[in-house]
Amino acid sequence: MIQTILERAVAAGRPAAERGAAASYIPELGKVDKRLLGACVFTRDGGRFSAGDTGVRFSIQSISKVISLAAALELCGFDTVFSQVGMEPSGEAFNSLVELEPTGSRPSNPMINSGAIAVDGYLEPKLSFAEMLSFTRKLCMDDGIVLDEAVYHSEMSHISRNRAIAYLLENQGVLQGDVERTLDFYVRMCSLSVTAESLAGLGLLLAEGGVSPATGERLLSPDTVRVVKTIMLTCGMYDGSGAFAVRVGLPSKSGVGGGILSVADRQHMGIGIFGPALDAKGNSIAGEA
């Protein structure tokens, strides 16, 4: 039944890709075939269902913000993380600088670029990228995740806006670590190469309250999972989060690489989608469909 539904969903979503475009502001992402589309569902009882282009590796981009937030909550604690980052939907584009301009302002939430850079500012002095990569592989149950060097260098060559955000954060006293090292850490996390299956694995771990379905090991505390899923529901789909929450109702996070991560708690399912054609807000248009 799940397999049939998934295949029908992917077939129904494919035509929507023609209305979107791959992210071109990072040149390497703009090279991806926008017609690709795949979706996976992983279930508690070991079910693995997939349809479409689920084995294709792509750039995780902003879905890495879920992983960084979880790591920061575990390592630094709730009070530290949210001392400089808010918990409210921004209503602005994911790469907006507007909210940072007033004196004393801070990022609205950890799912937009400014908030994620601030969160990575907590992590960078405490964890190496290699340690974060290992942590990501465990959360996603995918040892094949690596840094996509081509995407990393492409993004680092077009980083002016995020660099401006980072220095504004430093000016506001939000980012207290080294700006350039934090930016490099942030871009490396965004440049991880995943599949729809990787995202379904992460979604299932979150649906299981932070316990790895593969090993039975607790990787995240219940409190961390609760906070992460709540922020995903309210802020995870950029400035389209409210409409998505009403229409779909699942904690989700998108990335401009074309991924969507969703958590179906009651069904104990993780959902991973890949569709690089984006709408105007930066969300996978065929994936949403």
Side-chain angles (χ1 to χ4, degrees):
M1 177 65 78
I2 293 177
Q3 183 64 40
T4 300
I5 292 171
L6 198 57
E7 290 172 0
R8 289 175 179 170
V10 169
R14 280 195 186 279
E18 295 304 317
R19 304 197 305 272
S24 58
Y25 71 95
I26 301 173
E28 197 65 25
L29 298 187
K31 298 177 183 179
V32 180
D33 183 353
K34 75 172 190 176
R35 296 168 297 181
L36 294 171
L37 182 64
C40 288
V41 172
F42 283 9
T43 63
R44 167 191 270 183
D45 60 6
R48 301 289 186 268
F49 306 93
S50 62
D53 304 302
T54 58
V56 176
R57 290 211 171 261
F58 61 94
S59 180
I60 193 171
Q61 292 297 314
S62 283
I63 300 172
S64 67
K65 294 168 182 172
V66 172
I67 297 167
S68 291
L69 175 59
L73 288 168
E74 291 288 309
L75 193 63
C76 307
F78 178 93
D79 291 341
T80 296
V81 170
F82 290 104
S83 65
Q84 298 290 353
V85 180
M87 307 178 207
E88 302 296 336
S90 70
E92 303 290 343
F94 63 89
N95 59 356
S96 173
L97 290 87
V98 173
E99 62 182 5
L100 300 179
E101 291 176 354
T103 301
S105 60
R106 63 179 190 167
S108 296
N109 64 74
M111 297 292 110
I112 56 176
N113 291 15
S114 58
I117 291 169
V119 168
D120 283 340
Y122 299 134
L123 292 175
E124 189 277 328
K126 299 177 184 293
L127 286 176
S128 68
F129 172 70
E131 289 171 319
M132 279 299 290
L133 175 58
S134 177
F135 183 59
T136 300
R137 288 170 171 171
K138 284 186 177 182
L139 293 182
C140 296
M141 299 185 289
D142 180 2
D143 288 336
I145 295 174
V146 296
L147 175 69
D148 186 321
E149 295 279 354
V151 171
Y152 166 72
H153 290 296
S154 182
E155 193 160 351
M156 287 298 291
S157 298
H158 296 77
I159 199 175
S160 297
R161 191 171 187 88
N162 280 334
R163 180 168 279 120
I165 288 171
Y167 277 101
L168 270 173
L169 291 172
E170 182 192 45
N171 183 65
Q172 299 286 33
V174 173
L175 181 57
Q176 298 179 358
D178 183 275
V179 173
E180 294 300 327
R181 285 204 304 267
T182 299
L183 275 172
D184 185 75
F185 188 93
Y186 170 80
V187 173
R188 285 178 183 274
M189 287 301 297
C190 288
S191 302
L192 294 178
S193 179
V194 296
T195 66
E197 294 173 358
S198 314
L199 301 185
L202 175 55
L204 180 57
L205 179 131
L206 293 173
E208 293 298 286
V211 175
S212 171
T215 65
E217 178 186 2
R218 175 165 292 285
L219 299 178
L220 301 173
S221 72
D223 280 347
T224 290
V225 173
R226 178 185 63 80
V227 172
V228 167
K229 289 190 298 189
T230 303
I231 295 291
M232 287 171 63
L233 181 65
T234 58
C235 309
M237 301 295 287
Y238 302 134
D239 50 326
S241 297
F244 190 88
V246 170
R247 289 175 175 155
V248 179
L250 297 179
S252 300
K253 182 72 192 89
S254 63
V256 296
I260 299 177
L261 156 71
S262 294
V263 183
D265 280 324
R266 292 183 182 179
Q267 289 78 23
H268 299 283
M269 291 178 180
I271 302 170
I273 298 175
F274 168 53
L278 307 179
D279 64 17
K281 297 182 185 296
N283 296 317
S284 171
I285 191 167
E288 281 202 64

